[in-house]
Amino acid sequence: MKVLVVGGGGREHALVWKLVQDSSRPTVFCAPGNAGTAEMAENLPLAAEDLEGIQSWAVRERPDLVVVGPEVPLCAGLADRLTAAGLRVFGPNRAAAELEGSKIFSKAVMEAAGVPTARSAVYTDPAAALAGIRAMGLPVVIKADGLAAGKGVAICQSEDEVERAVRECLVEGVFGDAGKRLLAEEYLEGEEASVLAFVDGRQAVLMASAQDHKRIFDGDRGPNTGGMGAYSPAPVMTPDRLETIRREVFDRTLAELRRRGIDYRGVLYAGIMMTDRGPRVLEFNCRFGDPETQVILPRLEGDLIPILNACIDGCLNPDLVRWSPDPCVCVVMAAGGYPGAIRKGDVITGGDAANALPGVVVFHAGTRSEGGRVVTAGGRVLGVTARAADLPQAVRRVYEAVERIRFEGLQFRRDIAGRALKRLRS
Ligand code: AMP
Ligand code: GLY
């Protein structure tokens, strides 16, 4: 059994880590991977966006399964290419990945399907946008339509911020083609959580819920990042609410996609705001979350490969998807300067000492090996993860592990899972 994982971040290290434990004992490859995946799989010198290169490798080596991590290759049609070449791919085809690739398409699907989401309007002309958005009132959320590596969303509290966001998108072209159209959206208040599901074309089987921490600093201050930490489960997602979300978000979306002739197989990720009027979808992603995967997969009981295969074959049995009750917490250790210009090439020490703690796994994200040492190579460097019998223990353990790791300029949040701890205490 040969499996290829496409991508090289913390999410992909978590996928590789879970896949190598599969009872089928697969040989795992990762393109391009990082220093962490290199310890348990064979890294390939192929970028995740190198569709040609990945396709030629896969056609030559015939892996039994390809798992695509990031959105960029999915939205560019990697699954379509590999499927056409007779390979088995876990990840949606290009048309289905448009749920993440175009926020305007995604909103149109939600509206047609009756999925609860923020009210919105689409603009391509700057003057019309300013006039229309002014009429919506403040605060307002302005989103570039296409993929913008998490930077395309502006929460505007003032007219100045609206003007700047509209100008960046529609006039200056800061987001390139991704910002040729924008979506202006009603601002929603509440607690945010991530609900991911395995989807087999017809049904969605929900994963354990998770909560991400997007801002760089403690107390949710400072600029947005790719995610500074996560924990699972998210207590705000009660079983009742999850059931509502399964019906009103996932089932309705999949039915609407089918009506449009779109076959969704892979992970569907809904970013949800729990408002006092119920759940509202903020966004769809067409893939596993990062760092959510780092706290979700360690809680998955049993093998992952049969679940992925069942999604590909359109026959996912919900009984295959079982979760440990133990919570899991991940603290991201980021490079100095992140989310702006970052330092690279700093030596990382203490990873083994951290991994030696019970229940701890240090997932690598932006790392590479250099002369037998592991050095920093990206903004989010490590995702230190701990699973324990209860949340306070998992939080204590994860920070104990973090304290054992050193590299120049490191930064991390000290309040990961703080909201859930507070909920437990009250
Ligand atoms: P998105 O990529 O659409 O999820 O947006 C990134 C982040 O912006 C989300 O995780 C939310 O924290 C915030 N956000 C997006 N849309 C809204 C909204 N309508 N109201 C409030 N916050 C939002
Ligand atoms: N953690 C947010 C994302 O994966 O998009």
Side-chain angles (χ1 to χ4, degrees):
M1 176 90 178
K2 259 160 76 171
V3 182
L4 170 64
V5 174
V6 175
R11 163 185 52 211
E12 286 77 22
H13 189 189
L15 281 163
V16 167
W17 171 85
K18 183 67 185 171
L19 288 166
V20 296
Q21 297 174 61
D22 202 273
S23 50
S24 64
R25 294 283 159 225
T27 307
V28 180
F29 298 83
C30 195
N34 55 38
T37 62
E39 285 172 15
M40 43 189 81
E42 183 180 329
N43 283 353
L44 306 173
L46 291 167
E49 299 79 28
D50 179 4
L51 270 49
E52 288 290 339
I54 290 168
Q55 185 176 351
S56 5
W57 183 90
V59 165
R60 204 170 55 241
E61 300 293 331
R62 308 298 312 171
D64 301 281
L65 174 64
V66 180
V67 184
V68 185
E71 65 277 16
V72 170
L74 289 168
C75 290
L78 180 59
D80 310 58
R81 274 172 178 255
L82 298 181
T83 305
L87 293 150
R88 294 173 62 77
V89 189
F90 181 80
N93 59 39
R94 183 181 185 152
E98 272 296 275
L99 273 191
E100 176 165 2
S102 165
K103 291 185 189 291
I104 293 174
F105 170 77
S106 172
K107 189 66 90 173
V109 169
M110 286 190 255
E111 281 170 359
V115 170
T117 183
R119 280 178 293 113
S120 68
V122 176
Y123 297 101
T124 52
D125 172 68
L130 285 176
I133 295 168
R134 217 162 267 143
M136 291 174 79
L138 293 170
V140 67
V141 184
I142 297 184
K143 302 182 173 184
D145 176 44
L147 294 183
K151 299 195 172 71
V153 175
I155 297 179
C156 304
Q157 311 280 357
S158 68
E159 293 264 334
D160 281 356
E161 286 170 341
V162 170
E163 266 168 48
R164 174 158 11 110
V166 169
R167 189 167 7 96
E168 282 183 355
C169 249
L170 299 180
V171 182
E172 292 167 2
V174 168
F175 306 112
D177 283 352
K180 280 200 162 141
R181 298 189 294 166
L182 66 76
L183 192 71
E185 199 173 272
E186 161 199 18
Y187 176 79
L188 297 174
E189 251 169 306
E191 189 170 341
E192 215 175 315
S194 308
V195 181
L196 287 73
F198 293 110
V199 176
D200 72 352
R202 290 171 308 114
Q203 65 162 338
V205 177
L206 299 197
M207 300 185 206
S209 63
Q211 201 160 44
D212 185 9
H213 298 61
K214 288 189 204 260
R215 305 293 198 94
I216 184 78
F217 299 129
D218 287 11
D220 292 330
R221 288 173 304 111
N224 260 329
T225 70
M228 290 299 290
Y231 60 99
S232 172
V236 66
M237 284 300 164
T238 58
D240 275 3
R241 286 171 173 168
L242 285 170
E243 183 48 29
T244 305
I245 289 167
R246 194 184 58 73
R247 271 195 335 267
E248 296 186 359
V249 175
F250 288 92
D251 289 356
R252 289 180 190 176
T253 300
L254 294 179
E256 175 60 24
L257 289 177
R258 270 201 310 280
R259 262 195 292 282
R260 294 171 183 234
I262 297 172
D263 186 8
Y264 199 110
R265 296 178 196 218
V267 171
L268 181 56
Y269 164 143
I272 304 274
M273 188 72 90
M274 277 313 309
T275 72
D276 27 354
R277 289 167 299 155
R280 298 283 183 274
V281 177
L282 295 172
E283 63 164 345
F284 280 128
N285 293 321
C286 64
R287 49 167 176 85
F288 283 103
D290 191 342
E292 287 91 334
T293 307
Q294 290 88 311
V295 290
I296 290 175
L297 287 185
R299 301 189 57 218
L300 179 66
E301 308 258 36
D303 289 346
L304 177 60
I305 291 179
I307 297 174
L308 306 184
N309 274 326
C311 288
I312 295 172
D313 293 329
C315 59
L316 179 57
N317 175 352
D319 295 340
L320 276 179
V321 183
R322 290 173 294 110
W323 302 100
S324 158
D326 292 358
C328 198
V329 180
C330 171
V331 174
V332 169
M333 299 184 77
Y338 182 72
I342 54 157
R343 302 172 54 106
K344 281 189 190 174
D346 292 310
V347 175
I348 304 166
T349 60
D352 290 342
N355 263 319
L357 288 166
V360 169
V361 191
V362 179
F363 291 120
H364 289 225
T367 68
R368 64 188 170 76
S369 304
E370 196 181 80
R373 297 191 298 187
V374 178
V375 301
T376 64
R380 291 189 289 175
V381 176
L382 301 171
V384 182
T385 303
R387 198 184 115 167
D390 61 36
L391 189 69
Q393 288 184 60
V395 170
R396 258 196 313 275
R397 188 57 54 70
V398 82
Y399 281 108
E400 199 183 326
V402 164
E403 294 302 337
R404 295 186 171 190
I405 296 173
R406 296 271 186 276
F407 56 88
E408 202 55 43
L410 67 84
Q411 44 172 348
F412 62 89
R413 278 181 61 162
R414 295 181 185 273
D415 64 345
I416 301 303
R419 206 192 283 257
L421 287 178
K422 211 179 274 169
R423 218 178 250 270
L424 280 180
R425 283 196 292 263
S426 67

